[in-house]
Amino acid sequence: MKTMSFTQAVDDAISQAMADDLRIVVFGEDIPLLRRDLLVRFGPKRVRGTPISESAFLGAGVAAAMAGLRPIVEIYMVDFLGVCMDALLNHASKVEAFSGGKWTAPVVVRAPCGGGYGDGGQHEQSLWGWLAHIPGLTVVVPSIPADAGSLMLAALQHDGPVIFLEHKLLSETWLEFLGSGGRRNIEYDVPAQGTRGPVPRMWEPLPIGKAVLRREGTDVTVVSVGVGVHRAMEAAEILEKEKTSVAVLDLRTIAPLDKTTLCEMVAQTGRLLVVDEDYEGFGLSGELAAVLLEADIPFKYARVCTQTTIPYARSMEDHILPNVERIRRAIIELLQPTRNTRG
Amino acid sequence: MLKSRLFEETVTQLWKDGLISGEMHLGTGEEAIIAGVLAHLGADDAMALDHRGTAALLMRGVNPILILRELLGKPNGLCGGMGGHMHLFSKPHLAASSGIVGAEGPTAAGFALAAQYLNPGAVTVAFFGEGAMNQGMLMESINLAATWRLPLVFVCKDDRWSITTQSDSVTGGDLNDRAQWLGVPGVCVDGRDVTEVWEAAQKAIMRARAGEGPFFLRAKCVHFEGHFLGYQLLRAVRNPLREMPKISIPLTQSFLRTSGASWRERVGGLKSVLSAVLSTLRDPRKDPDSDPLRRTRSALQSDRTRLEALEDEVKHEVDNIIAMTMEEESL
């Protein structure tokens, strides 16, 4: 079977889509270098660089999508969306509603996200909860190469704005570009299962909004996305030796949320642990609890998230981001009989 | 300048040794700009820095040991290990950094506004690259500074590269004209020449102090290590045997794949990739005349003994800083 790295899979799915659909164009800062393989196949009219002017080129991407193109707009890091949030918050997300459902902006915003390599609090955020908060935005966060390619294809076929987040710790391309390229002796805690894996010969779109059970288990259901899924899998394997059976559900899409699968999986174990690299307050972890409460499912609940600004120092960062040990301890605590059952 | 250079050369080694984990943006090559401007700052003046602020903080007198500890991610570093090199802050020096390109504009405008109320006569300096001149918030800040007559000097360190993109390929018009049309006068100087920067900065800062409004000081320079350490284009040029196959093999495969653009378009794409590499090859960073330190040294040749003594003193000081910090590291 063919295998690919995470970023290779995304780029490969894009190149398949670009060969089929002439409306797809790619632009963003440094794109001639970062997407050079697409540039030499599809030419500078469809793959182009931009000035450091996010408000202008993201806003232009949204309107170009309204006018018939299928742009992939790359933002260097999801953190930098702060500079140009208006294009998403007040425009892309609202075109469909404002036009009475008659007009949409099928733009794909591709951005690296996530931490674990020592770049500090302005370059390592996740922010998917912040984005998913806005009605009208679709937010996908794949955790393995096969899903990454298939979800990118689905995003390109979707009839509205999609934010496609690519975790840097899963992307050897990004890690090489940002940190490990010019030296040999730096190590990052990279989850092997997520960085390289089997991919199909031809990409097929993966339905947006479908979670997948990565691991079956009867005691606790851990729900996560991106790198968190791999950290949860590792904790589950450790706990298996201690006769604890942990299920791991990979949401893959934050918005729209796969509420059906979530409710089913948590109902089976009666315990939910959310592992979310994004900020704890007012985000995905609270949302999942709300969905289960609304569905009247009795469950015990805990979460392992990022609570503060992400520290620059790796030694501190490793404790702030959800790690295997924090997940393991949270699961053990969740299994103690003393806690109240919610619902 | 020499202290900053030696300090950052050590940082390079620490990064290569894996003691610094993520990105590392150095100021090597722009020392004359920082030194020439900072020479005119007083105790109440403020600085808005970009993601390469180490040199500016060193020259402003921040304890180098605190900076080095911070870069190493130590809890007793300048920012407790939380900020790192892109987010260096020193409240006593009114110096704030940002890793967001262009953010120096609004920050400097705010510092300058506060000075108008709290510290009349104090000025603020904003340091940023020419790539940031395409960022809306910086353009807005230039206009704001003009309309509010803020005591602010915008220092544009122009190395012609926006990360891996040649800035002129994504920039319309002339940058000095831009500032001028927003109501901020300016000059363009050779940023490798500390005297030239010093003279231009003196006029700009005196003007701002006198309440005559903002000034745009553009200074051209090179960055010896490119955008950051491990910069892909420099790696390709410096170590082609190791780096080029990683780029050229997938590039050729993609170039030859069926379905896609016409050959003419594909060749256009290939030219654009090659142009970045070729421009890096021809880049003036290899020209010894581009090194501000070398130029300063030759200007000071008349008193060679004193120059050597000074340099020895600085080397000794930096060696001590490093030895002290690394000793803690090994404890």
Side-chain angles (χ1 to χ4, degrees):
Chain A
M1 201 173 198
K2 207 155 80 158
T3 65
M4 276 186 192
S5 74
F6 197 93
T7 296
Q8 244 182 339
V10 181
D11 287 353
D12 195 58
I14 291 174
S15 66
Q16 182 186 312
M18 286 182 79
D20 291 343
D21 186 346
L22 290 172
R23 297 171 305 169
I24 300 174
V25 296
V26 182
F27 53 84
E29 291 149 11
D30 281 347
I31 287 306
L33 181 80
L34 297 172
R35 304 289 165 240
R36 54 187 176 268
D37 296 348
L38 293 176
L39 173 59
V40 298
R41 181 170 169 196
F42 297 103
K45 281 185 189 144
R46 295 181 68 193
V47 182
R48 64 172 76 190
T50 61
I52 306 177
S53 311
E54 287 91 351
S55 303
F57 71 75
L58 178 56
V62 172
M66 292 168 68
L69 285 180
R70 292 257 163 181
I72 301 173
V73 181
E74 295 212 24
I75 299 292
Y76 234 114
M77 291 190 187
V78 72
D79 317 65
F80 306 167
L81 273 180
V83 173
C84 53
M85 195 56 179
D86 182 67
L88 295 180
L89 172 68
N90 286 319
H91 296 89
S93 63
K94 295 191 170 47
V95 173
E96 192 174 356
F98 284 170
S99 67
K102 291 176 189 143
W103 210 355
T104 59
V107 60
V108 175
V109 179
R110 178 181 181 184
C113 72
Y117 65 101
D119 237 357
Q122 264 176 357
H123 288 66
E124 294 199 322
Q125 301 170 91
S126 299
L127 302 182
W128 44 67
W130 186 54
L131 293 160
H133 182 61
I134 302 161
L137 293 185
T138 296
V139 183
V140 298
V141 188
S143 69
I144 57 169
D147 284 2
S150 312
L151 277 170
M152 177 47 90
L153 201 60
L156 285 166
Q157 293 175 4
H158 188 72
D159 208 20
V162 180
I163 321 295
F164 184 98
L165 298 180
E166 183 173 351
H167 201 296
K168 278 164 281 174
L169 224 50
L170 298 176
S171 166
E172 31 180 68
T173 315
W174 274 115
L175 287 180
E176 205 264 355
F177 185 75
L178 295 170
S180 61
R183 46 186 172 166
R184 292 160 192 266
N185 46 7
I186 186 77
E187 278 183 24
Y188 306 116
D189 186 6
V190 168
Q193 301 294 318
T195 51
R196 180 165 282 278
V199 294
R201 293 191 67 78
M202 278 291 286
W203 291 102
E204 294 289 337
L206 184 75
I208 287 171
K210 282 265 170 250
V212 64
L213 194 66
R214 293 277 176 224
R215 192 179 202 283
E216 295 197 9
T218 51
D219 295 326
V220 180
T221 305
V222 181
V223 179
S224 191
V225 286
V227 164
V229 171
H230 301 286
R231 303 284 189 245
M233 293 289 282
E234 210 180 317
E237 274 157 39
I238 294 169
L239 286 165
E240 191 178 57
K241 291 175 195 137
E242 298 165 23
K243 306 276 183 270
T244 301
S245 170
V246 179
V248 178
L249 183 70
D250 179 356
L251 289 174
R252 302 195 284 201
T253 305
I254 310 275
L257 192 59
D258 186 351
K259 296 180 182 177
T260 315
T261 309
L262 172 73
C263 291
E264 238 171 71
M265 292 303 136
V266 176
Q268 279 178 18
T269 63
R271 292 184 189 90
L272 168 64
L273 174 73
V274 186
V275 174
D276 186 8
E277 190 180 324
D278 201 359
Y279 300 125
E280 183 176 89
F282 309 93
L284 176 66
S285 58
E287 182 63 23
L288 297 186
V291 167
L292 291 158
L293 287 169
E294 283 168 348
D296 263 340
I297 292 166
F299 69 109
K300 286 179 70 175
Y301 173 82
R303 50 184 167 176
V304 174
C305 310
T306 299
Q307 294 169 322
T308 65
T309 292
I310 301 167
Y312 160 78
R314 277 280 296 284
S315 54
M316 291 195 267
E317 180 187 13
D318 290 345
H319 295 291
I320 293 294
L321 300 178
N323 61 36
V324 175
E325 180 52 23
R326 278 175 69 198
I327 298 167
R328 192 190 70 87
R329 270 188 284 138
I331 294 172
I332 291 170
E333 207 173 306
L334 206 49
L335 288 166
Q336 304 301 315
T338 48
R339 289 177 65 117
N340 293 330
T341 299
R342 290 168 175 85
Chain B
M1 283 167 67
L2 178 63
K3 186 168 154 187
S4 174
R5 172 68 58 83
L6 294 173
F7 187 90
E8 292 205 299
E9 279 172 357
T10 305
V11 170
T12 306
Q13 197 50 51
L14 295 173
W15 185 87
K16 284 187 178 154
D17 290 344
L19 292 170
I20 293 168
S21 178
E23 296 171 71
M24 178 51 69
H25 309 79
L26 296 183
T28 50
E30 62 176 51
E31 293 96 341
I33 304 178
I34 312 291
V37 172
L38 262 59
H40 304 288
L41 294 191
D44 292 334
D45 298 332
M47 297 195 299
L49 305 171
D50 58 10
H51 48 280
R52 51 179 104 248
T54 306
L57 289 177
L58 275 172
M59 294 190 207
R60 192 79 173 110
V62 176
N63 183 346
I65 295 180
L66 292 180
I67 297 178
L68 192 55
R69 283 187 195 145
E70 183 63 27
L71 303 189
L72 289 165
K74 297 291 151 198
N76 56 358
L78 180 68
C79 307
M82 284 294 293
H85 84 283
M86 281 193 277
H87 320 109
L88 294 167
F89 286 76
S90 180
K91 192 176 172 184
H93 298 90
L94 262 176
S97 316
S98 177
I100 305 296
V101 172
E104 312 77 27
T107 303
F111 284 166
L113 177 67
Q116 278 184 331
Y117 290 91
L118 307 173
N119 258 323
V123 298
T124 301
V125 177
F127 286 107
F128 51 86
E130 85 292 348
M133 283 294 285
N134 291 319
Q135 186 59 273
M137 61 179 138
L138 179 56
M139 291 301 96
E140 294 170 28
S141 304
I142 294 177
N143 181 57
L144 191 67
T147 47
W148 286 354
R149 281 179 84 84
L150 294 174
L152 203 175
V153 178
F154 293 96
V155 181
C156 177
K157 305 172 290 177
D158 185 349
D159 82 333
R160 305 187 306 124
W161 285 91
S162 303
I163 314 181
T164 70
T165 300
Q166 295 170 78
S167 297
D168 58 5
S169 71
V170 290
T171 306
D174 175 80
L175 296 182
N176 282 83
D177 288 348
R178 243 189 232 186
Q180 182 72 53
W181 290 331
L182 288 168
V184 177
V187 290
C188 183
V189 300
D190 185 344
R192 305 165 304 175
D193 183 329
V194 70
T195 314
E196 227 181 276
V197 177
W198 190 93
E199 283 170 359
Q202 187 190 35
K203 283 181 202 149
I205 288 172
M206 277 173 65
R207 202 176 163 276
R209 274 198 212 294
E212 287 166 37
F215 195 81
F216 182 75
L217 172 55
R218 179 176 171 201
K220 295 190 173 182
C221 67
V222 299
H223 284 131
F224 295 122
E225 294 297 332
H227 176 70
F228 48 23
L229 286 175
Y231 183 63
Q232 202 172 34
L233 286 172
L234 275 179
R235 269 193 273 148
V237 170
R238 285 176 183 168
N239 200 345
L241 285 179
R242 190 157 76 101
E243 300 292 337
M244 280 313 278
K246 288 193 269 183
I247 295 175
S248 58
I249 294 168
L251 199 70
T252 313
Q253 283 169 348
S254 191
F255 181 77
L256 295 172
R257 268 179 80 170
T258 52
S259 70
S262 67
W263 289 109
R264 197 193 161 94
E265 279 290 305
R266 290 183 192 220
V267 169
L270 196 58
K271 273 188 186 160
S272 150
V273 178
L274 289 177
S275 138
V277 178
L278 291 175
S279 301
T280 310
L281 259 177
R282 288 194 302 261
D283 203 276
R285 66 169 66 83
K286 281 202 291 194
D287 177 359
D289 220 29
S290 290
D291 185 348
L293 253 81
R294 224 183 146 110
R295 285 169 74 140
T296 312
R297 249 185 217 129
S298 48
L300 298 175
Q301 274 306 322
S302 55
D303 194 350
R304 207 171 174 151
T305 333
R306 179 151 157 67
L307 179 67
E308 276 169 17
L310 259 173
E311 292 209 1
D312 283 346
E313 197 182 306
V314 173
K315 275 181 194 145
H316 188 67
E317 190 192 343
V318 174
D319 284 347
N320 268 342
I321 292 161
I322 291 151
M324 279 167 71
T325 315
M326 296 318 286
E327 203 173 304
E328 296 173 353
E329 170 84 9
S330 61
L331 286 178

